[in-house]
Amino acid sequence: ERLRKLSAAGDVKGLLFVLNEGIHGNIDGMGHERLYQKARFGTKRLIEDYVAEVVSALGKIAAARSIPRDEKRDFFRRAQHCYGRSALLLSGSGSFLYFHVGVVKALWDEGVLPTILAGSSGGSIVAAVVCTRKDAEVGAFLASDKLASADRDPEVRRLAPDEVAARLAELIPDLTFQEAYEVSGRHLNVSVAPAEKYQNGRLLNAITAPNVLIREAVLASCAVPGVFPPVMLMARDEAGKRVPYQPDRRWVDGSVTHDIPTKRLERLYGVNHHIVSQANPLALPFATDTRKQMAPIEAIQHASMATFKAWLNANMVIFQKPLELVPPLNSLANMARSLINQEYTGDINIIRPPKFWSPTKILSDLSQDDIDELIDTGMRTAWPKIEMVRTQTAISRALDAILARIDKGGDDGPGHRSAALKKPVR
């Protein structure tokens, strides 16, 4: 009511004072998923009215000529820091990446796709397709006929490494992370894991690796250990030439270490609201959506899985020394432990429904019918979450849009449009 009165009176300074007291997400639990368990939309009027009033007030402050630009920027930066940001995280998926396409398409069609996207393995392909194109081009590239291979072998077989690289070259422009941000205004994040021991995985983006080329980063994130060879990353130097990036290092499937890199997104972008599209066939048994009210059988399954994780970790400690005597077995055990101990869900979870698929299809070139089915499943699974996404991301989307306009003429450091490399996009 206070915001409404100030807005009606045209008191922009008053709005600024009130909102300076702090804009915080999930006030009084208004973002709790259980609010959406019975009725997906239409019954959260009070929450929707509050969010709409805050967004309206932010717009009026941004448009006010009586407030200096520096003061606006300072306010909106602090507001964004307090409120946080939303990100869409696309899990590893193999050939089931088309489920992610359906999820992204559903969010895109409704205008609620976050500007921060992270992907691992198959999810990195979808994220890269979206984050390397202008808004006007995204919709067309989410069509199933654009994503299917025209030269597909009718025999279901595993794709060869050179075939994967060729498909990526068709789908992803030859851009660096910084150049992609300059083109799309979206933050692309790709998870990669080291092929060597005792190294840490990385999250590649326009902040941590602005000159790294996206194609090789995605290829590395898709390099399933033991199936595809490790990949050397490439970068573009000051002269525009392709050069090796850390030539002594090789990288593999990012989902091995960080399928859903929530912590790193929090640190880099201030993300505190994670929308997760989960289609990883290895992770689905562990991806329980604990934020919703679970049925008794789901609660039992969740408890059983937690017990299994604890048992496995205890045995890994006991057998650590013997396993070290057999390096291949030790490597496999460590990989299994990493996969099992990861968190695979976020604040809003869009999880691929259980359905048996032939294991031979996981890394194969799928038929048009399979692609259409997965895209349709992704869209249908995302639709019940749309209003939740819309309400919970409205303020952060408004802050992002306002700051993008304010920052357009200034230099705000790496990862911002104004800090893009001053050379032609290739």
Side-chain angles (χ1 to χ4, degrees):
E1 287 299 324
R2 189 178 178 188
L3 289 174
R4 282 177 177 169
K5 289 178 181 177
L6 291 170
S7 292
D11 187 354
V12 181
K13 291 284 188 179
L15 289 173
L16 182 63
F17 178 80
V18 171
L19 294 180
N20 253 322
E21 295 177 0
I23 304 174
H24 303 284
N26 200 24
I27 296 175
D28 294 328
M30 67 181 189
H32 203 293
E33 186 161 345
R34 291 189 181 181
L35 291 171
Y36 298 84
Q37 292 300 303
K38 299 296 183 182
R40 305 294 185 184
F41 64 94
T43 58
K44 274 66 69 173
R45 297 296 186 194
L46 182 61
I47 294 172
E48 292 166 0
D49 290 347
Y50 168 76
V51 169
E53 202 61 49
V54 171
V55 171
S56 174
L58 292 172
K60 289 177 180 178
I61 292 171
R65 295 182 178 273
S66 59
I67 303 174
R69 178 179 171 181
D70 289 343
E71 186 178 349
K72 286 182 187 178
R73 176 182 290 172
D74 178 63
F75 163 72
F76 285 114
R77 283 272 179 234
R78 284 187 288 105
Q80 187 182 65
H81 182 73
C82 291
Y83 190 83
R85 306 177 76 180
S86 297
L88 175 64
L89 297 88
L90 307 175
S91 72
S93 57
S95 295
F96 299 151
L97 64 94
Y98 299 101
F99 175 84
H100 294 320
V101 174
V103 172
V104 170
K105 184 173 174 55
L107 297 176
W108 177 261
D109 289 345
E110 292 296 323
V112 294
L113 183 70
T115 57
I116 301 172
L117 285 84
S120 300
S121 192
S124 69
I125 299 176
V126 180
V129 167
V130 174
C131 292
T132 54
R133 289 177 169 82
K134 297 179 180 179
D135 288 355
E137 302 170 341
V138 171
F141 268 87
L142 295 177
S144 63
D145 57 335
K146 283 278 189 181
L147 299 166
S149 174
D151 302 323
R152 176 184 177 271
D153 189 335
E155 294 292 328
V156 177
R157 61 178 180 80
R158 193 180 75 197
L159 289 168
D162 58 337
E163 291 176 311
V164 175
R167 290 290 290 131
L168 292 180
E170 294 174 8
L171 294 171
I172 303 171
D174 193 23
L175 302 175
T176 66
F177 282 92
Q178 183 64 60
E179 291 168 343
Y181 181 82
E182 181 69 9
V183 168
S184 69
R186 284 178 281 275
H187 299 273
L188 171 63
N189 297 266
V190 175
S191 290
V192 293
E196 304 87 1
K197 290 182 180 179
Y198 312 118
Q199 299 292 338
N200 295 320
R202 289 192 59 181
L203 187 65
L204 304 173
N205 51 51
I207 297 175
T208 63
N211 299 320
V212 169
L213 289 157
I214 294 172
R215 282 182 186 170
E216 281 74 17
V218 172
L219 185 62
S221 190
C222 294
V224 179
V227 179
F228 297 121
V231 175
M232 179 174 66
L233 298 177
M234 300 294 289
R236 203 186 314 278
D237 65 12
E238 293 181 357
K241 295 181 180 179
R242 295 171 62 90
V243 295
Y245 179 79
Q246 297 183 346
D248 58 334
R249 303 282 297 277
R250 297 294 184 273
W251 304 89
V252 296
D253 189 345
S255 62
V256 171
T257 55
H258 293 93
D259 193 46
I260 304 296
T262 53
K263 297 294 184 184
R264 297 185 178 190
L265 291 176
E266 289 171 10
R267 186 173 68 251
L268 290 169
Y269 301 102
V271 171
N272 61 355
H273 185 255
H274 306 94
I275 305 166
V276 175
S277 176
Q278 182 54 257
N280 190 333
L282 297 177
L284 287 177
F286 313 105
T288 303
D289 191 355
T290 57
R291 292 180 176 270
K292 71 175 185 178
Q293 188 170 0
M294 292 187 286
I297 187 64
E298 291 177 318
I300 293 171
Q301 289 173 344
H302 178 64
S304 300
M305 191 56 64
T307 303
F308 172 69
K309 285 183 181 181
W311 175 85
L312 179 68
N313 287 325
N315 277 275
M316 284 292 293
V317 173
I318 295 171
F319 294 105
Q320 183 174 1
K321 290 295 183 183
L323 284 171
E324 288 176 354
L325 300 175
V326 188
L329 188 59
N330 186 44
S331 177
L332 186 63
N334 287 331
M335 188 183 303
R337 186 181 185 185
S338 175
L339 288 170
I340 289 172
N341 285 326
Q342 290 185 53
E343 288 292 333
Y344 290 104
T345 55
D347 298 287
I348 297 178
N349 301 298
I350 305 170
I351 301 174
R352 183 172 69 85
K355 178 187 176 181
F356 175 76
W357 285 75
S358 171
T360 59
K361 289 186 175 183
I362 293 177
L363 298 174
S364 301
D365 202 359
L366 299 183
S367 68
Q368 186 68 58
D369 288 343
D370 287 337
I371 291 173
D372 290 341
E373 180 183 348
L374 283 167
I375 292 177
D376 183 69
T377 301
M379 294 182 70
R380 289 177 179 274
T381 309
W383 283 334
K385 309 278 187 175
I386 290 293
E387 290 307 314
M388 191 191 315
V389 173
R390 192 192 312 278
T391 301
Q392 294 184 15
T393 64
I395 294 175
S396 64
R397 283 186 285 114
L399 289 169
D400 281 347
I402 291 168
L403 280 168
R405 291 197 298 270
I406 292 175
D407 290 342
K408 195 171 183 180
D411 188 346
D412 286 276
H416 291 277
R417 290 195 189 204
S418 54
L421 300 179
K422 304 299 182 182
K423 57 186 178 185
V425 175
R426 294 170 176 80

